[in-house]
Amino acid sequence: MEVKQRELGGEKEEEEHSKVEIWKYMFGFVELASGRKVYAQTPLCKRLLKSGQNNMAAFILPESSPVMLAPWHGLSARIQGNIRNPVFEEVYGEDLWSFGAANPDHSKLFNEAMACDARVVVPAVIESCINSDLPHVVSVAQEYDRIENVGGDMFDYVPKADVVIIKWVLHDWEDDECIRILKKCREAIPEDKGKVIIIEAVIDEEDEKEDSKLTNVRLMLDMVMMAHTNTGKERTLKEWVYVLDDGP
Ligand SMILES: C[S@@+](CC[C@H](N)C(=O)[O-])C[C@H]1O[C@@H](n2cnc3c(N)ncnc32)[C@H](O)[C@@H]1O
């Protein structure tokens, strides 16, 4: 495959390369119980089966949807300074969240992607909670015992609780916006024993090796933030410390 790739040029090469990037995780030499090695789907493919436990199929659907792919085409122009607006807004005239409010189908696709990750992470840390998000998201959220759905704007108000868990939200916003959100989280918890738990990636500039799988994931997420949010980014520890020192 790599030989074929070198023979190709330009866009074709890029397309082929991105397929190889996916294939190399989905297909490989797998050892059967008999000890025989075959070229087949790797165990990772199970995560794409809708029937599979902890499946992540819904997670890759929005990223490969035409709505989410379009902003990627403007990313180079944005980085070169040829587009003034964030790329998502340049394409759709509004940010991702307003677009979701006006386009329920897209919102459903996005929310299901978030939910398939949250279903793995949240039960590991919590049994009952308030689920707080924008009104159009909460209004279609699945009902569960011991989960209260509360719609609202986190820049105005975060529901009162002993602990606020904020996952994959701050990376959608620039520092000043994060600080405003964190101040609302601080107001939501008891002053003496409340906690704000932040679940986000941390880019480690110093020690990351280029071949580490997680480095690629973190840097990929940073690109996703650039393509799909107005001001979001993944942060290094130093950048998180800045946000947290000025936040709660
Ligand atoms: C990347 S998603 C993460 C969702 C969820 N926390 C998770 O980890 O699965 C960011 C979420 O922030 C919500 N959001 C965006 N702007 C908001 C606002 N002003 N107030 C409350 N939620 C907001 C979006 O609707 C979206 O569900």
Side-chain angles (χ1 to χ4, degrees):
M1 187 59 73
E2 273 168 19
V3 173
K4 191 176 165 209
Q5 220 181 299
R6 277 200 292 277
E7 286 168 3
L8 298 166
E11 284 174 29
K12 199 76 190 137
E13 183 180 348
E14 275 179 42
E15 190 185 311
E16 202 68 16
H17 181 74
S18 50
K19 280 185 200 160
V20 172
E21 282 300 308
I22 296 173
W23 287 339
K24 78 180 177 198
Y25 294 111
M26 294 298 153
F27 295 92
F29 287 97
V30 179
E31 194 166 339
L32 301 178
S34 63
R36 200 161 68 92
K37 277 195 173 172
V38 293
Y39 189 71
Q41 289 169 318
T42 63
L44 202 57
C45 285
K46 278 196 196 142
R47 304 300 293 272
L48 298 182
L49 285 176
K50 285 195 174 158
S51 56
Q53 197 190 8
N54 292 344
N55 90 78
M56 299 294 282
F59 197 73
I60 61 169
L61 293 180
E63 275 311 315
S64 48
S65 72
V67 167
M68 292 305 233
L69 286 176
W72 286 99
H73 297 295
L75 205 53
S76 303
R78 169 77 171 149
I79 290 165
Q80 284 163 17
N82 298 329
I83 293 179
R84 193 179 296 184
N85 293 324
V87 271
F88 193 95
E89 212 163 272
E90 185 73 21
V91 176
Y92 298 108
E94 57 192 343
D95 75 1
L96 176 63
W97 319 117
S98 307
F99 183 88
N103 294 274
D105 286 347
H106 178 74
S107 187
K108 187 164 180 270
L109 200 66
F110 185 85
N111 297 341
E112 280 171 3
M114 294 301 110
C116 81
D117 180 72
R119 258 182 230 118
V120 178
V121 176
V122 177
V125 289
I126 208 155
E127 280 187 354
S128 71
C129 67
I130 299 171
N131 169 36
S132 177
D133 207 300
L134 286 169
H136 74 272
V137 177
V138 163
S139 66
V140 292
Q142 211 169 329
E143 305 267 335
Y144 289 101
D145 289 344
R146 294 178 298 167
I147 295 184
E148 185 188 347
N149 290 315
V150 175
D153 183 345
M154 65 191 165
F155 288 98
D156 293 335
Y157 176 75
V158 171
K160 298 262 179 266
D162 292 335
V163 177
V164 172
I165 299 182
I166 184 159
K167 175 169 101 56
W168 276 0
V169 170
L170 297 174
H171 71 171
D172 295 331
W173 305 94
E174 67 185 354
D175 292 352
D176 288 351
E177 291 164 323
C178 286
I179 290 167
R180 282 170 54 206
I181 297 166
L182 286 169
K183 285 195 166 138
K184 292 294 163 194
C185 294
R186 182 70 187 88
E187 286 168 23
I189 56 171
E191 210 164 304
D192 50 344
K193 56 182 170 53
K195 277 195 171 49
V196 175
I197 298 175
I198 299 167
I199 304 178
E200 293 283 357
V202 179
I203 295 180
D204 186 346
E205 280 173 325
E206 301 284 305
D207 300 323
E208 298 251 44
K209 306 218 172 7
E210 258 190 38
D211 57 355
S212 149
K213 272 190 214 164
L214 287 178
T215 301
N216 290 339
V217 173
R218 288 189 273 258
L219 297 179
M220 177 275 293
L221 270 175
D222 196 28
M223 297 281 288
V224 171
M225 294 306 118
M226 222 185 294
H228 293 153
T229 69
N230 281 3
T231 57
K233 61 175 188 174
E234 299 303 331
R235 290 176 165 83
T236 62
L237 196 56
K238 206 162 132 198
E239 288 169 323
W240 279 119
V241 167
Y242 172 78
V243 163
L244 291 168
D245 272 357
D246 276 21

